[in-house]
Amino acid sequence: MASMKIVARLFTTAVAAILFAIAPAIVHGQELGNPTPGLSLDGLNTYAPAPTLGNMPGISSGTLTLAAQLTADGPEITRGLTWRIFSPTPGQDGKLPLKGSAQGGTATFDLEPGSYLIHAAFGRAGATKRITVGSDNKRETLVLDAGGLKLDAMLGNGIRIPPGKLKFSIYEADENDEGDRALIVPDVKPNTVVRLNAGTYHVVSQYGNVNAVIRSDIRVEAGKLTEALVEHKAAQVTMKLVREKNGEAIADTAWSVLTDSGDIVKETVGAFASMVLAEGKYSIVAKNRDRIYQREFQVEAGRNEDVEVLTENDIAAAKPVLTGEEPYTDEIPLAPEEPSGDGEPID
């Protein structure tokens, strides 16, 4: 199993807050989720912000100002926040009615006096707080207790993996009763800062789309950016069926790649079969028309190579063509008995 190198860069709280704040607005739109258990956030993107109650006659509203920090002693977050204000009483559909929303940094709302649930989302990090609003001005600050995680990978020889062939998925660290983990963020691109609540997460790094997979648990600390560098032991191989060495690839070939234990790893069709495979021993089975060809090969970490399968490696070529009705057998038939010289039967 390949190893994971985790380099934690500990920024001061002010620097960390600036780092997370510089991410463009599209990032939090891609990462926005439901990090608060028990709070129904389904379909909230279809809601419009609540009207300003202060402009309605006969209603005395209070002004609520909301701010958020990564840590209790850190500066306020100025960009990338999504605020949502809910009534604590579920509606007829069983969901909490949305009373207001805003994006950016510190936000101000005019609300009718009463009780509310305030939710702040910062990427995949979030916090929820119940508050009571009166007719006066009120200010609330939510501490997200959040940090950042940036992921990348390389091969054992120090070569960086092309970003287009690499992706990460972030899961909860704990397994459920069925042994599965809840997926938090899928298809994370390399060197992307993902905002998460402080805690331990299970990270899966996949190079290519076959079996080059590395798993590890990573700890995210509040107010800090953790950079994790994964080392993959794999290589890209390109297979082709040829009649002679360095010959032209034969089209319409069906490929099967098997482990040394006989398990199928990948199946594909074409003149070339290109894929990333984890380090180890494999067998190739190439089928073209009614012929089947086979070859064993070794994948070495970081060594990309072309693998040729020669048509002389026809695994059926050594078997005789059967023309009779008797089934084929590997047993050698016995020679007929020689008759005796006088023609008499032998006792």
Side-chain angles (χ1 to χ4, degrees), residues 212-293:
V213 177
I214 301 295
R215 298 175 177 269
S216 184
D217 291 338
I218 301 177
R219 174 75 182 175
V220 174
E221 299 185 36
K224 301 174 183 177
L225 175 66
T226 299
E227 295 187 50
L229 183 63
V230 179
E231 181 181 328
H232 275 278
K233 293 187 179 297
Q236 180 168 325
V237 296
T238 300
M239 293 163 279
K240 62 178 181 176
L241 180 64
V242 296
R243 293 182 175 85
E244 59 184 3
K245 290 185 178 181
N246 301 320
E248 293 292 330
I250 301 176
D252 300 326
T253 301
W255 300 91
S256 296
V257 180
L258 299 85
T259 63
D260 56 352
S261 60
D263 298 325
I264 296 178
V265 176
K266 179 74 172 179
E267 292 182 318
T268 186
V269 177
F272 297 90
S274 183
M275 63 192 71
V276 175
L277 296 173
E279 186 178 55
K281 295 181 179 180
Y282 297 89
S283 294
I284 305 174
V285 176
K287 182 178 181 181
N288 185 267
R289 297 185 180 180
D290 58 347
R291 294 291 185 178
I292 299 177
Y293 312 91

Side-chain angles (χ1 to χ4, degrees), residues 73-232:
D73 57 350
E76 293 182 2
I77 300 172
T78 59
R79 293 182 58 185
L81 286 167
T82 297
W83 293 100
R84 292 190 176 101
I85 301 178
F86 301 91
S87 169
T89 304
Q92 294 182 352
D93 58 358
K95 299 180 180 179
L96 301 179
L98 180 68
K99 296 299 183 180
S101 65
Q103 292 185 348
T106 302
T108 301
F109 299 87
D110 290 332
L111 298 169
E112 182 180 358
S115 179
Y116 297 91
L117 287 175
I118 308 300
H119 181 263
F122 188 55
R124 288 287 175 170
T128 301
K129 185 176 183 179
R130 182 187 290 268
I131 64 169
T132 300
V133 176
S135 58
D136 54 351
N137 297 336
K138 186 179 182 68
R139 181 182 178 88
E140 289 286 343
T141 300
L142 274 67
V143 178
L144 301 182
D145 189 32
L149 178 61
K150 186 165 72 171
L151 302 165
D152 199 4
M154 62 183 295
L155 297 173
N157 52 9
I159 298 177
R160 292 280 176 172
I161 296 174
K165 297 181 179 179
L166 183 65
K167 65 179 180 181
F168 299 90
S169 296
I170 302 175
Y171 296 81
E172 290 185 358
D174 298 329
E175 298 179 347
N176 57 23
D177 295 338
E178 289 74 29
D180 299 323
R181 293 182 172 91
L183 177 62
I184 299 175
V185 192
D187 299 334
V188 179
K189 301 300 182 183
N191 294 312
T192 300
V193 176
V194 182
R195 302 155 179 163
L196 297 164
N197 287 105
T200 301
Y201 298 88
H202 185 77
V203 176
V204 177
S205 172
Q206 183 165 3
Y207 174 27
N209 58 2
V210 186
N211 65 344
V213 177
I214 301 295
R215 298 175 177 269
S216 184
D217 291 338
I218 301 177
R219 174 75 182 175
V220 174
E221 299 185 36
K224 301 174 183 177
L225 175 66
T226 299
E227 295 187 50
L229 183 63
V230 179
E231 181 181 328
H232 275 278

Side-chain angles (χ1 to χ4, degrees), residues 263-336:
D263 298 325
I264 296 178
V265 176
K266 179 74 172 179
E267 292 182 318
T268 186
V269 177
F272 297 90
S274 183
M275 63 192 71
V276 175
L277 296 173
E279 186 178 55
K281 295 181 179 180
Y282 297 89
S283 294
I284 305 174
V285 176
K287 182 178 181 181
N288 185 267
R289 297 185 180 180
D290 58 347
R291 294 291 185 178
I292 299 177
Y293 312 91
Q294 186 172 3
R295 175 188 168 177
E296 295 183 352
F297 71 104
Q298 176 87 24
V299 174
E300 298 181 13
R303 183 181 175 183
N304 300 337
E305 62 178 333
D306 295 337
V307 179
E308 293 183 339
V309 179
L310 298 176
T311 54
E312 65 185 31
N313 295 331
D314 187 347
I315 61 176
K319 292 185 179 181
V321 178
L322 303 180
T323 57
E325 297 181 356
E326 295 296 326
Y328 173 77
T329 177
D330 290 331
E331 296 180 358
I332 301 175
L334 299 176

